[in-house]
Amino acid sequence: MITILIGLFVMGWVAAAVIGTQAYFLGEQRKPIHERNWGSESFDQLAKSVTGQETDYSDRTPAYRMDAYASGNLSN
């Protein structure tokens, strides 16, 4: 009896982890993104392997248009 309960607990935990991971990456693929991370190939590869979908950059918007990173890229 206890083995069945432990098995159900482990299966539930794994299912929750998989669903949570997919939800996280699907959400991250649609959030505003910082300019320095716009072309992050490692994020794109990881997100695609988890969700099975390409990141749609037409659905994303740049975040923090003027911060220390952006001001360092201004021409003099």
Side-chain angles (χ1 to χ4, degrees), residues 45-61:
Q45 290 173 347
L46 184 59
K48 184 178 180 187
S49 69
V50 171
T51 63
Q53 297 178 13
E54 296 278 343
T55 301
D56 181 8
Y57 283 98
S58 67
D59 196 24
R60 297 190 89 173
T61 57

Side-chain angles (χ1 to χ4, degrees), residues 10-74:
V10 169
M11 286 176 23
W13 184 84
V14 169
V18 168
I19 291 169
T21 302
Q22 285 201 351
Y24 170 79
F25 277 101
L26 286 171
E28 285 295 312
Q29 286 176 307
R30 287 170 177 78
K31 282 172 53 177
I33 185 172
H34 196 280
E35 181 183 350
R36 70 173 170 255
N37 298 325
W38 189 264
S40 174
E41 290 180 24
S42 60
F43 172 80
D44 289 340
Q45 290 173 347
L46 184 59
K48 184 178 180 187
S49 69
V50 171
T51 63
Q53 297 178 13
E54 296 278 343
T55 301
D56 181 8
Y57 283 98
S58 67
D59 196 24
R60 297 190 89 173
T61 57
Y64 316 112
R65 295 214 182 253
M66 187 50 71
D67 62 356
Y69 178 81
S71 65
N73 291 333
L74 294 174

